Amino acid sequence: MGLKTLCLGMFCVIFVSHIYTPLPANIEESWKVMVLDTIAKTCTFMAICFENIGIMRYEEFISMIFHLDYTEPQSDEYVTVTDTTFVDIPVRLYVPKRKSETPRRAVIYIHGGAFCFGSFKQTALDFLNRWTAKTLDAVVIGVDYRLAPQHHFPAQFEDCLTVVKYFLQDKILTKYRVDPTRICISGDSSGGALTAAVTQKALFAEYLGINDFMNTVKFLTSFQEVPPTSDENVTVTETTFNNIPVRVYVPKRKAKTLRRGLFFIHGGGWCLGSAAWFSYDLLSRRTADQLDTVVVSTNYRLAPEYHFPIQFEDVYDALKWFLRQDVLEKYGVDPERVGVSGDSAGGNLAAAVAQELIKDPDVKIKLKTQSLIYPALQTLDMDLPSYRENAQFPILPKSFMVRLWSEYFTTDGSFEKAMLLNQHVPVESSHLFKFTNWSSLLPDKFKKGHVYNTPTYGSSELAKKYPGFLDVRAAPLLADDAQLRGLPLTYIVTCQYDVLRDDGVMYVTRLRNAGVQVTHNHIEDGFHGALSYNGFKTGYRVEKQYFSWLRENL
């Protein structure tokens, strides 16, 4: 008798013996549950029998049963399905075929199987992931992992964590056009356990007192970093300016005259980011090559280990070093053509150091330009029209922006809560609201019928404990007109779908009122971080306009 015939015969006998297992009366469609239960019990019983008589091991038999249900990656009219690997871990990708004007959601799905069986190839899971991708217009990643008994804990956990960290890289999210603020991880049974473990690694460590949330996010995003690699057009090196790590990009082609110099400050909410991030490395490389410019991309110490004014001081010290005559000569930079630039929190720091340089008698070489790309500029009012309209918008929702602001000054959660409620400014600082009163500083098209709310004042104790949030070096919009006069040619990018939109728009108004020459580039279809997402047409357009302005004015 052949093995297949033996298996079939045993299956039928055992199936019949189990089919009458009673179930509770309130089970919906109990006959279906009965069939599934009987199949599971039959396969389990046969696996035990085969192991006891020495035909095959229990796990081998169950794995064989699971393999009968595996499917190949088949695309259809709605979803493109492919099998690939993320850092040598097998994954199955489901990408919707319909065009999307905005970044998509993403779901990372980890299959069950008691850590010993299963795969994303199972028919039911393939159907679920395909349906998820189609219905939710989401990129879905089905994850496989090494299985017991060949591999034991923590191999399964490490494989899943590796896939998650790889997928969270900026260049991978850009490749698949995924919104980094709309990523979900999911799983069933043992896959649910792995999902919980991976999630805890990123989130719950803070609640348990093991690690700060930002430290965990910093660790995960560190996988976006790339080494300083020169190419045929640009020489890339890492060094320090006044003990601050910087990455320097110098065009390889011979220069007939002294070059422009651009000091670039990365974003990341004062907590995240690096000059080595893929997106910043690519931007600096393109800037150097296309504008024949020496680019200095600076790092700075980050929260939560370091709070204001450390970030400001690091950037200011590095910029002052770059503005030394001997340093400019070393890199062949024209001292009359040096600019500062930055995006988001980097735009905040760029604006702050530009203001500080005006009154610094030790700095003889002044900036020609400042370029502020969707900058964060004020800490007083978290109820601007842009915060109201984009409170839940992808990339930078209000809650995350407030978290970043609060981490800049302290890890005290009470400050974050007060800021989120817009009740953090004490009455004795009420005079500062004139610098951020959007009812008078925003053009009508940005007000859109919003009503200005009179500030609700907060605790004086918070302001005494964390006075940095009222410091002009942290909130450049709080500078008076006398401080703004004398600032260099200014370029400000704002995006319609960005909680920080009105910060930049109000700064445009304030600078123009103070007599500063400003070019305001408002991106109607733009969102926060657009310049870093070159996979989108908006990102390419912002970069092209940014380069055009620098080429003409720097």
Side-chain angles (χ1 to χ4, degrees):
M1 181 184 294
L3 180 60
K4 290 183 178 179
T5 304
L6 174 63
C7 289
L8 179 60
M10 287 184 63
F11 182 88
C12 292
V13 172
I14 299 169
F15 184 90
V16 171
S17 68
H18 284 108
I19 193 66
Y20 295 110
T21 301
L23 294 174
N26 61 346
I27 295 293
E28 188 175 7
E29 295 187 296
S30 59
W31 70 271
K32 290 183 179 180
V33 178
M34 186 181 296
V35 171
L36 289 175
D37 177 64
T38 303
I39 291 173
K41 287 180 177 178
T42 300
C43 291
T44 300
F45 187 85
M46 290 179 65
I48 294 172
C49 290
F50 279 29
E51 183 174 59
N52 288 337
I53 62 179
I55 296 178
M56 65 176 64
R57 292 188 54 162
Y58 175 93
E59 294 83 1
E60 292 175 347
F61 181 84
I62 299 298
S63 294
M64 180 183 71
I65 298 300
F66 270 87
H67 273 80
L68 296 175
D69 189 43
Y70 285 2
T71 61
E72 294 301 316
Q74 296 181 351
S75 302
D76 58 30
E77 58 188 303
Y78 303 108
V79 181
T80 299
V81 184
T82 54
D83 282 355
T84 184
T85 59
F86 283 179
V87 197
D88 298 324
I89 310 298
V91 299
R92 180 168 287 185
L93 295 173
Y94 301 79
V95 181
K97 286 186 176 181
R98 62 179 178 270
K99 292 183 179 180
S100 176
E101 297 300 325
T102 60
R104 286 188 165 98
R105 305 175 178 93
V107 177
I108 302 171
Y109 193 88
I110 303 174
H111 69 79
F115 315 102
C116 302
F117 318 111
S119 168
F120 57 65
K121 298 177 183 178
Q122 291 172 246
T123 301
L125 294 183
D126 179 76
F127 176 82
L128 173 63
N129 290 335
R130 188 184 303 270
W131 180 87
T132 303
K134 172 189 171 183
T135 306
L136 301 183
D137 192 30
V139 175
V140 178
I141 304 95
V143 183
D144 268 356
Y145 46 88
R146 289 171 289 174
L147 299 171
Q150 292 87 353
H151 305 280
H152 299 291
F153 177 85
Q156 293 83 349
F157 168 78
E158 290 173 346
D159 286 356
C160 294
L161 182 62
T162 297
V163 168
V164 171
K165 290 193 294 188
Y166 178 84
F167 184 69
L168 291 177
Q169 295 181 94
D170 181 64
K171 62 181 178 181
I172 303 301
L173 297 179
T174 299
K175 176 180 178 181
Y176 294 109
R177 293 175 58 84
V178 168
D179 179 348
T181 67
R182 304 179 75 191
I183 300 172
C184 167
I185 181 169
S186 181
D188 67 288
S189 191
S190 58
L194 291 167
T195 296
V198 171
T199 304
Q200 287 174 4
K201 184 77 174 179
L203 297 177
F204 296 157
E206 179 179 51
Y207 302 141
L208 296 175
I210 299 171
N211 198 10
D212 184 274
F213 169 77
M214 284 300 172
N215 276 329
T216 305
V217 176
K218 190 184 306 179
F219 169 73
L220 294 175
T221 56
S222 68
F223 292 88
Q224 300 184 41
E225 295 181 4
V226 295
T229 306
S230 301
D231 57 31
E232 66 272 20
N233 300 315
V234 180
T235 299
V236 185
T237 57
E238 288 184 337
T239 184
T240 59
F241 281 5
N242 202 17
N243 296 320
I244 307 302
V246 299
R247 186 172 286 197
V248 183
Y249 300 77
V250 180
K252 284 187 174 180
R253 59 181 176 273
K254 291 184 178 180
K256 297 180 181 179
T257 60
L258 292 175
R259 289 188 165 101
R260 306 174 177 92
L262 186 67
F263 187 87
F264 185 83
I265 309 166
H266 71 77
W270 310 278
C271 303
L272 311 169
S274 165
W277 272 15
F278 171 79
S279 57
Y280 290 124
D281 177 79
L282 182 61
L283 176 63
S284 295
R285 194 179 297 272
R286 286 176 173 171
T287 305
D289 180 37
Q290 295 189 30
L291 300 183
D292 194 27
T293 301
V294 174
V295 178
V296 175
S297 183
T298 189
N299 280 315
Y300 46 91
R301 287 171 288 178
L302 300 170
E305 293 87 353
Y306 303 97
H307 299 294
F308 174 84
I310 294 297
Q311 291 84 340
F312 169 84
E313 291 172 347
D314 284 357
V315 171
Y316 193 64
D317 289 346
L319 178 55
K320 284 181 66 174
W321 186 270
F322 183 48
L323 291 173
R324 288 171 40 174
Q325 185 66 43
D326 60 327
V327 177
L328 295 178
E329 288 178 358
K330 175 182 177 181
Y331 291 105
V333 173
D334 184 343
E336 295 185 358
R337 301 179 72 193
V338 181
V340 66
S341 181
D343 73 314
S344 194
N348 166 279
L349 292 166
V353 296
Q355 290 181 5
E356 191 74 10
L357 281 173
I358 295 175
K359 54 187 179 183
D360 191 334
D362 295 330
V363 180
K364 306 303 179 184
I365 297 172
K366 302 299 182 180
L367 297 173
K368 185 179 181 183
T369 65
Q370 64 170 341
S371 307
L372 315 178
I373 304 165
Y374 28 80
L377 297 171
Q378 62 86 33
T379 55
L380 269 62
D381 194 349
M382 301 295 111
D383 191 39
L384 304 175
S386 58
Y387 272 97
R388 297 175 187 175
E389 294 170 14
N390 301 299
Q392 303 300 328
F393 197 83
I395 310 299
L396 189 65
K398 176 180 177 178
S399 58
F400 190 46
M401 186 63 232
V402 169
R403 176 64 183 261
L404 294 170
W405 265 126
S406 65
E407 290 271 359
Y408 191 22
F409 307 109
T410 177
T411 55
D412 183 348
S414 63
F415 182 74
E416 178 189 355
K417 291 177 182 177
M419 204 173 199
L420 192 59
L421 294 171
N422 216 33
Q423 297 175 1
H424 56 294
V425 181
V427 65
E428 54 267 30
S429 300
S430 59
H431 63 285
L432 295 175
F433 277 105
K434 65 183 179 182
F435 298 126
T436 63
N437 188 328
W438 59 263
S439 66
S440 60
L441 293 173
L442 288 181
D444 289 340
K445 74 172 185 175
F446 295 106
K447 297 176 186 177
K448 294 181 179 177
H450 290 283
V451 177
Y452 182 78
N453 293 329
T454 303
T456 301
Y457 300 112
S459 168
S460 297
E461 289 302 313
L462 280 177
K464 290 176 181 178
K465 289 173 67 176
Y466 315 114
F469 80 96
L470 299 174
D471 193 311
V472 68
R473 295 173 301 168
L477 199 56
L478 302 184
D480 59 32
D481 288 351
Q483 291 176 278
L484 299 181
R485 296 190 186 100
L487 283 172
L489 293 171
T490 300
Y491 181 73
I492 296 179
V493 175
T494 58
C495 294
Q496 183 65 24
Y497 304 109
D498 182 6
V499 292
L500 298 178
R501 179 195 71 204
D502 295 346
D503 284 26
V505 176
M506 288 193 293
Y507 202 45
V508 169
T509 301
R510 298 246 6 249
L511 290 175
R512 286 174 175 167
N513 290 343
V516 178
Q517 185 175 336
V518 183
T519 298
H520 179 201
N521 182 16
H522 180 65
I523 313 299
E524 285 290 346
D525 60 348
F527 53 89
H528 192 84
L531 189 61
S532 297
Y533 295 95
N534 288 293
F536 296 95
K537 292 180 180 179
T538 302
Y540 286 120
R541 189 169 71 252
V542 172
E543 180 184 279
K544 182 179 179 181
Q545 294 163 346
Y546 169 58
F547 284 175
S548 177
W549 187 88
L550 287 174
R551 187 178 289 110
E552 182 178 340
N553 294 280
L554 181 57

